[in-house]
């Protein structure tokens, strides 16, 4: 029957028209969920293609046959894991199969492009001028730091780890502001939807991927930062730096407002992001948004081979919702002079108030701002929490929102502090500079 009307003719009709074709096009062009498309385009009628794709993938996975059906696998990952739709045209160029990733002990060692570990290139990019901007503005953005081949090799190893199911859901410990029934502080663990990660301190995984393993042990980044910023006293032991791989599956996955170093005993001084998103385009989302204190936000696109360096202890930031698969390698570098006692105490003197604008400039570059940021950026915290958790039905969402509200209530009960925060909010309101977007 394949060559009759119920076979190839029906296949052609489905490809050029019909509800699956219409909704598939809208899914790619509008970044809308399948559920929303069913409501808006089909008046609530359910799609058959998406359901079939999910069921087929489940069967293939159960029978360890994913590598035998790359087309079905690609369709599923585009539909449900945020993979770039363009990957469906690139199946023939795969250098390793899903079965390789699932069964091989190490990455096969075959990369798409030739490359070398060009640490000298990275060090040339991190100039004295770049380090001065990092120290003064709190951030710097550098492009083409690793080179197309080397950055591509790091991305391929991350994709191989994902294919082997080594990425695990991001789990974050959050200290609740409200006390438990015993009067003691509470810590809550929650999972960020659609965010997955690998900690390269796990040697059993790190040794499977040679380029990532080599980067873990390298000190070239530390050397060049120390040469230009010796006052940071960055530490060179592998125990004093953290490398994590992160995969955002799309579907709106993001991070709420936070500091990478929220306070003691954390020792992080510098955060380094290496973005590995080949083919990123506007609309894919997943930008990091830096929030220099009392200034306009700086939004940075996560394009391929882009490095973003910023201050871990005084740069508030968030990750905007991602609508496509997104990879980033994060390096946190510890410093010896981080979280001194004066960094965790807010003290206002008469001279501070007399030199108001000088005080604001000092606060912009001080970790003390962490004590004030939830009040000054009240709306941004709330919005980003909701975007991250996506629904109050998500485990942890209600606890996070309640903790944020309790924090604000505690601030407002302290009248002098509340008045001071309102004054800082007024300063923000009077800033009429244009927000920065680095595409």
């Amino acid at each position: 029957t394949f060559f009759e009307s119920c076979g190839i003719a029906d296949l052609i009709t489905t490809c050029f028209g019909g509800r699956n074709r219409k909704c598939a096009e809208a899914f790619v062009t509008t970044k809308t969920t399948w559920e929303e498309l069913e409501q808006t385009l089909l008046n609530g009628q359910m799609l058959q293609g998406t359901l079939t794709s999910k069921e087929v993938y489940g069967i293939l996975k159960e029978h360890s046959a994913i590598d035998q059906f790359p087309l079905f696998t690609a369709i599923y990952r585009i539909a449900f894991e945020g993979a770039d739709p363009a990957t469906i045209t690139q199946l023939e160029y795969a250098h390793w199969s899903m079965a390789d990733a699932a069964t091989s002990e190490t990455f096969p060692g075959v990369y798409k492009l030739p490359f070398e570990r060009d640490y000298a290139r990275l060090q040339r990019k991190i100039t004295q001028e770049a380090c001065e901007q990092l120290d003064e503005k709190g951030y710097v953005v550098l492009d083409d730091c690793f080179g197309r081949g080397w950055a591509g090799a790091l991305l391929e190893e991350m994709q191989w780890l994902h294919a082997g199911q080594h990425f695990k859901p991001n789990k974050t410990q959050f200290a609740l502001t409200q006390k438990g029934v015993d009067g003691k502080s509470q810590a809550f663990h929650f999972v960020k939807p659609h965010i997955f990660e690998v900690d390269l301190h796990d040697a059993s995984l790190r040794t499977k991927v040679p380029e990532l393993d080599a980067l873990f042990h390298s000190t070239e980044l530390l050397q060049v930062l120390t040469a230009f910023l010796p006052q940071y006293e960055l530490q060179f032991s592998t125990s004093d730096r953290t490398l994590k791989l992160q995969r955002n599956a799309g579907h709106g996955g993001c991070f709420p407002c936070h500091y990478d170093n929220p306070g003691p005993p954390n020792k992080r001084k510098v955060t380094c992001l290496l973005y590995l998103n080949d083919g990123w385009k506007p609309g894919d989302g997943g930008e990091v948004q830096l929030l220099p204190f009392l200034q306009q936000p700086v939004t940075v696109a996560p394009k391929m081979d882009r490095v973003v360096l910023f201050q871990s202890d005084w740069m508030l930031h968030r990750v905007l919702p991602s609508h496509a698969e997104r990879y980033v390698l994060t390096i946190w570098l510890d410093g010896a002079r981080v979280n001194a006692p004066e960094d965790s105490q807010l003290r206002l003197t008469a001279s501070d108030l007399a030199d108001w604008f000088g005080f604001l400039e000092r606060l912009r570059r001080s970790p003390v701002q962490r004590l004030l940021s939830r009040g000054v950026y009240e709306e941004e915290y709330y919005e980003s929490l909701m975007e991250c958790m996506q629904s109050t039905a998500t485990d942890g969402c209600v606890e996070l929102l309640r903790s944020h509200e309790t924090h604000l209530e505690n601030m407002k009960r302290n009248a002098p502090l509340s008045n001071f925060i309102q004054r800082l909010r007024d300063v923000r309101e009077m800033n009429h500079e244009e927000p920065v977007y680095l595409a």
Side-chain angles (χ1 to χ4, degrees):
T1 59
F2 180 70
F3 292 101
E4 296 177 4
S5 61
C6 59
I8 194 169
D10 184 64
L11 177 62
I12 292 173
T13 302
T14 298
C15 292
F16 285 91
R19 57 184 179 179
N20 283 319
R21 170 66 170 80
K22 179 168 66 173
C23 290
E25 181 177 355
F27 176 76
V28 172
T29 57
T30 67
K31 312 293 184 182
T32 307
T33 65
W34 295 115
E35 291 76 12
E36 291 172 334
L37 291 173
E38 288 172 340
Q39 291 297 323
T40 56
L41 297 183
L42 303 180
N43 295 318
Q45 188 178 17
M46 293 183 65
L47 287 165
Q48 295 176 327
T50 51
L51 178 61
T52 301
S53 174
K54 187 179 292 187
E55 291 179 344
V56 167
Y57 183 80
I59 293 171
L60 296 178
K61 187 175 180 180
E62 182 181 353
H63 293 276
S64 301
I66 289 176
D67 60 308
Q68 300 174 41
F69 297 89
L71 180 59
F72 289 160
T73 300
I75 291 172
Y76 173 82
R77 289 190 166 150
I78 292 168
F80 297 105
E81 294 188 352
D84 187 340
T87 57
I88 203 168
T89 66
Q90 302 167 358
L91 301 179
E92 64 189 65
Y93 299 111
H95 288 258
W96 40 264
S97 68
M98 299 294 178
D100 291 333
T103 61
S104 176
E105 287 299 317
T106 60
F107 183 81
V110 180
Y111 302 91
K112 294 181 181 178
L113 296 175
F115 69 93
E116 60 177 337
R117 296 173 186 167
D118 194 355
Y119 291 109
R121 176 193 184 112
L122 175 63
Q123 292 181 316
R124 287 194 302 271
K125 289 285 184 177
I126 304 177
T127 62
Q128 181 174 351
E129 181 182 2
C131 290
E132 288 173 352
Q133 180 179 332
L134 171 62
D135 188 54
E136 167 59 28
K137 291 188 174 182
Y139 73 93
V140 66
V141 179
L142 306 168
D143 287 328
D144 305 317
C145 290
F146 284 71
R148 184 65 185 83
W150 192 12
L154 295 172
L155 172 60
E156 288 180 61
E157 290 187 350
M158 290 178 69
Q159 291 172 328
W160 181 83
L161 287 170
H162 165 54
Q165 301 182 7
H166 295 298
F167 277 81
K168 304 302 178 185
N170 173 284
K171 294 183 179 180
T172 302
Q173 179 172 304
F174 185 82
L176 299 178
T177 51
Q178 58 269 32
K179 304 292 185 181
V181 293
D182 57 359
K184 296 182 179 179
S185 299
Q186 300 180 88
F188 182 81
H189 291 81
F190 68 97
V191 174
K192 297 186 183 76
H194 311 299
I195 307 294
F196 304 88
E197 63 185 17
V198 168
D199 189 341
L200 285 186
H201 277 280
D202 183 347
S204 66
L205 289 180
R206 189 183 68 243
T207 52
K208 295 176 180 288
V209 278
E211 293 309 311
L212 290 167
D213 186 36
L215 188 62
F216 175 85
H217 287 100
S218 70
T219 60
E220 281 76 7
L221 175 62
L222 278 161
Q223 290 171 18
V224 67
L225 289 175
T226 297
F228 294 126
L229 299 167
Q231 67 272 27
Y232 288 4
E233 295 186 27
L234 298 176
Q235 305 297 288
F236 277 69
S237 168
T238 55
S239 63
D240 294 317
R241 59 180 181 268
T242 303
L243 280 78
K244 280 193 176 182
L245 315 177
Q246 184 193 105
R247 175 182 174 270
N248 188 323
H251 307 295
C254 59
F255 280 73
C257 291
H258 67 284
Y259 293 90
D260 281 352
N261 182 339
N266 197 306
K267 301 298 289 183
R268 292 172 181 170
K269 177 57 184 171
V270 175
T271 297
C272 174
L273 306 177
L274 169 60
Y275 287 114
L276 298 168
N277 302 298
D278 202 7
W280 184 92
K281 59 186 181 300
D284 286 349
E287 299 96 336
V288 62
Q289 187 172 80
L290 307 174
L291 299 167
F293 201 65
L294 305 180
Q295 299 185 350
Q296 293 290 7
V298 178
T299 305
V300 185
K303 72 176 193 178
M304 185 69 173
D305 198 12
R306 166 170 280 178
V307 167
V308 183
L309 295 164
F310 60 86
Q311 302 283 345
S312 303
D313 55 347
W314 55 269
M315 183 55 68
L316 182 67
H317 62 286
R318 62 192 284 195
V319 176
L320 300 181
S322 183
H323 306 293
E325 189 175 41
R326 169 187 178 274
Y327 284 96
V328 61
L329 186 155
T330 304
I331 305 173
W332 290 287
L333 303 175
D334 287 1
R337 300 174 61 84
V338 175
N339 287 327
E342 60 268 23
D343 293 336
S344 302
Q345 300 175 2
L346 176 62
R347 293 180 177 177
L348 281 175
T349 65
S351 60
D352 288 331
L353 297 176
D355 180 23
W356 177 242
F357 291 106
F359 169 74
L360 292 180
E361 177 59 18
R362 292 190 294 275
L363 186 60
R364 180 185 67 81
R365 300 180 62 197
S366 169
V368 171
Q369 64 177 259
R370 297 176 301 194
L371 304 174
L372 307 164
S373 67
R374 279 189 179 271
V376 177
Y377 290 88
E378 174 181 343
E379 294 80 10
E380 286 84 354
Y381 269 90
Y382 182 86
E383 176 191 58
S384 64
L385 281 170
M386 282 303 303
E387 285 181 340
C388 175
M389 303 307 288
Q390 300 186 348
S391 168
T392 53
T394 304
D395 286 345
C397 183
V398 171
E399 288 81 1
L400 291 172
L401 294 176
R402 187 180 298 131
S403 182
H404 176 55
E405 292 167 356
T406 302
H407 199 115
L408 295 174
E409 290 169 1
N410 291 338
M411 285 182 164
K412 291 174 182 177
R413 276 198 288 266
N414 184 328
L417 177 61
S418 181
N419 292 335
F420 180 62
I421 287 174
Q422 184 56 53
R423 191 172 177 183
L424 295 177
R425 287 172 63 88
D426 292 341
V427 172
R428 275 194 71 200
E429 189 69 26
M430 291 186 291
N431 187 330
H432 299 300
E433 296 180 358
E434 289 295 319
V436 177
Y437 188 91
L438 300 177

